[in-house]
Amino acid sequence: MSFDNAYESLVEGHEEKHWAFGTGFTHALSGVDRAISSTVDRDDLAAYCLMLGDDALVYAQRLAEWCAKAPELEEDVALANIALDLLGQARMLLSRAGEIQGTDEDALAYLRDSSEFRNVHLAEIDCGPGPGGDFATTMARLLVFSAWRLALLHRLTGSADPVLAAVAAKGVKELTYHRDHAAQWVLRLAGGTDYSRERMVAGLAVVWPHLDELFTAHPIEHRLAEAGVAVDPAELRSEVDSVLDTVLGAAGLTRPDVASVPGGGRGGVHTEAMAPLLAEMQVVARALPGGVW
Amino acid sequence: MSARQVAEQVLDPELPVLTLADLGVLREVSEVGDRVVVTITPTYSGCPALDEMRSDLHEKLTEAGYRDVEIRTVLHPAWTTDWISDDGLRKLTEHGIAPPSRIGPRAVGPIPLTLEPPKRRVSCPHCGSARTTELSRFGSTACKALRRCEDCREPFEQIKEI
């Protein structure tokens, strides 16, 4: 058997498992009681799982881009580990959305276009390692994202939906050390040389315009929050602000004085960084439709 | 052997010095006639070993003669390193991996921010020295941190507390 490229073997015969990623994955919530209460709107629940799942999936893809390109080997490992935790959260949330919508996690991850993704812009913006990217900006984003998601998941542990509550409770443990990792890097860079401090200040200014979107509720979030299933992100603001102020204060930094930019990720409106991200994430699945790996 | 005994002897795919029972991921085994229901819980959300655990359990129970085996997953309550058995902690040390400390239930209220690496006393699993430092919170698998002994200078892994 010979192939023009390594990926072609994926679509040839499904008898044996192949070397590539994802071999024989079972449903990410296999064996979990996934009953949905009759009082919960199923379409809203699926849409909400997509929002939180897409935040994690898209950001995991961004973090994985740093693997083998971080300033030190330990950081390659750290960012890949954080990405893996988020990918695990994404798989559970996308599987739940997929089951309700009659599709699956792979189709949701690989076959949707940009306008069908529901993640916030903070997850998708390009902070490197490519052109224009920067490690300090990456740490600024990790700090804001993990402080926000930790506050969100912490409240979601009280969700009326038992699967969301359980996914959140596991996520809280993981986000706690993601946030610590970012906070410690912000302190280290701000307290290093004049140059590292300048880069940290510049990095914060890049991510800060995307802060407001994190606390803007989509109508679906509103409805589900009223039903006790979701968290209204507007309620997270003071807690997240206080965490960010604590870190910035300890680092001797102040909040960047920058204007907010429009959001819209929850409604499927994305930045120009989204299409290239998806192109890379989805290329193999789209090039070889029906390939099993 | 009872289904429980068979399930308890299945080894963790990533830390094969521990059984699934030692690791605390085996939550329940119930047996009614030929039918066995095993309940496990993942360590981390992204733990890739969960599928392996599921198929290893299925295989060992089938080999032991159980025809109808179902493996269920529970996410709640979330796994904690406090569920690793005392035996498990001892086996980890014997195999050069520093065990986690017991952390107890987390206090209610906002989750505290840690601005410097915690000064935990972790003994070197090679020479026993208490003078060890954390190199990174992250290691070769989601559950491990990387440390180094200041006396024997050997690097070693530690199961980090969650």
Side-chain angles (χ1 to χ4, degrees):
Chain A
M1 215 181 303
S2 73
F3 302 107
D4 287 342
N5 67 61
Y7 298 118
E8 278 188 15
S9 66
L10 299 175
V11 282
E12 191 68 26
H14 295 160
E15 298 305 316
E16 48 189 292
K17 291 185 175 178
H18 297 282
W19 56 270
F21 44 87
T23 302
F25 272 179
T26 42
H27 191 296
L29 291 168
S30 172
V32 173
D33 182 0
R34 306 195 289 278
I36 299 169
S37 159
S38 57
T39 57
V40 175
D41 184 293
R42 296 171 64 86
D43 293 338
D44 279 359
L45 179 63
Y48 188 58
C49 288
L50 270 189
M51 292 173 183
L52 302 188
D54 285 349
D55 289 341
L57 174 66
V58 169
Y59 187 35
Q61 175 72 14
R62 279 289 180 225
L63 284 165
E65 290 172 356
W66 277 97
C67 197
K69 291 181 178 156
E72 55 194 30
L73 179 62
E74 287 78 3
E75 208 46 39
D76 284 341
V77 173
L79 296 181
N81 261 291
I82 292 171
L84 179 64
D85 288 338
L86 292 170
L87 194 61
Q89 295 171 20
R91 287 195 59 207
M92 293 191 278
L93 291 161
L94 262 54
S95 292
R96 184 138 174 91
E99 192 164 49
I100 299 169
Q101 297 180 340
T103 177
D104 62 35
E105 53 169 322
D106 278 342
L108 286 172
Y110 294 128
L111 303 178
R112 279 182 301 157
D113 291 326
S114 173
S115 63
E116 296 168 282
F117 275 79
R118 293 290 178 265
N119 56 283
V120 293
H121 291 181
L122 184 69
E124 76 196 40
I125 55 169
D126 188 358
C127 302
D134 181 80
F135 183 72
T137 312
T138 294
M139 285 302 128
R141 188 225 315 248
L142 180 60
L143 175 69
V144 173
F145 182 90
S146 54
W148 169 69
R149 190 169 174 89
L150 177 56
L152 198 166
L153 295 190
H154 191 208
R155 285 176 189 229
L156 200 61
T157 56
S159 171
D161 180 65
V163 175
L164 274 180
V167 170
K170 284 203 78 64
V172 162
K173 289 171 179 256
E174 295 158 358
L175 265 309
T176 301
Y177 62 79
H178 302 174
R179 188 184 68 175
D180 287 347
H181 186 71
Q184 289 166 19
W185 263 112
V186 170
L187 262 61
R188 191 168 156 191
L189 292 170
T193 61
D194 286 347
Y195 181 58
S196 72
R197 187 179 179 84
E198 268 172 39
R199 297 259 299 255
M200 194 65 247
V201 169
L204 289 163
V206 172
V207 302
W208 224 261
H210 299 283
L211 214 63
D212 282 347
E213 183 191 3
L214 306 180
F215 308 105
T216 310
H218 185 274
I220 290 176
E221 290 175 292
H222 257 310
R223 286 202 294 273
L224 283 179
E226 275 171 24
V229 172
V231 172
D232 180 348
E235 289 173 11
L236 306 172
R237 180 115 218 188
S238 63
E239 184 182 337
V240 175
D241 274 346
S242 129
V243 168
L244 295 177
D245 287 341
T246 304
V247 177
L248 295 183
L253 299 172
T254 50
R255 286 169 163 263
D257 184 17
V258 287
S260 204
V261 292
R266 292 287 189 241
V269 177
H270 292 284
T271 68
E272 62 186 17
M274 188 67 172
L277 178 147
L278 291 181
E280 186 166 282
M281 187 174 87
Q282 300 177 331
V283 63
V284 176
R286 291 202 183 223
L288 298 149
V292 174
W293 53 76
Chain B
M1 264 201 297
S2 72
R4 172 172 292 277
Q5 285 168 317
V6 175
E8 279 180 346
Q9 286 173 16
V10 174
L11 297 174
D12 177 72
E14 281 187 348
L15 288 167
V17 303
L18 298 186
T19 64
L20 297 186
D22 287 332
L23 188 61
V25 300
L26 187 70
R27 304 311 297 158
E28 206 182 316
V29 182
S30 70
E31 191 179 342
V32 183
D34 261 3
R35 180 174 167 73
V36 180
V37 179
V38 181
T39 307
I40 55 174
T41 192
T43 51
Y44 283 75
S45 298
C47 180
L50 196 69
D51 281 346
E52 290 296 317
M53 292 179 189
R54 214 179 267 130
S55 66
D56 288 351
L57 280 164
H58 203 278
E59 188 185 317
K60 297 286 185 240
L61 284 160
T62 310
E63 274 172 22
Y66 294 94
R67 293 279 160 257
D68 186 3
V69 178
E70 186 190 346
I71 315 293
R72 288 185 191 157
T73 310
V74 281
L75 297 174
H76 178 83
W79 181 80
T80 153
T81 42
D82 279 0
W83 291 353
I84 300 178
S85 67
D86 289 341
D87 226 24
L89 298 184
R90 182 184 52 76
K91 287 182 197 170
L92 284 169
T93 313
E94 282 171 11
H95 287 82
I97 300 169
S101 314
R102 300 295 192 197
I103 46 174
R106 203 186 68 78
V108 282
I111 295 154
L113 189 65
T114 312
L115 292 177
E116 16 184 281
K119 304 247 181 313
R120 280 214 180 84
R121 231 181 115 92
V122 177
S123 298
C124 170
H126 303 297
C127 74
S129 164
R131 293 204 319 130
T132 69
T133 44
E134 185 176 280
L135 299 177
S136 174
R137 277 307 274 163
F138 301 89
S140 59
T141 62
C143 55
K144 291 190 209 119
L146 194 62
R147 298 185 73 90
R148 182 176 51 212
C149 176
E150 299 302 337
D151 284 319
C152 74
R153 306 299 292 169
E154 285 289 325
F156 64 90
E157 292 185 306
Q158 187 220 357
I159 305 287
K160 62 187 171 210
E161 296 81 4
I162 64 159

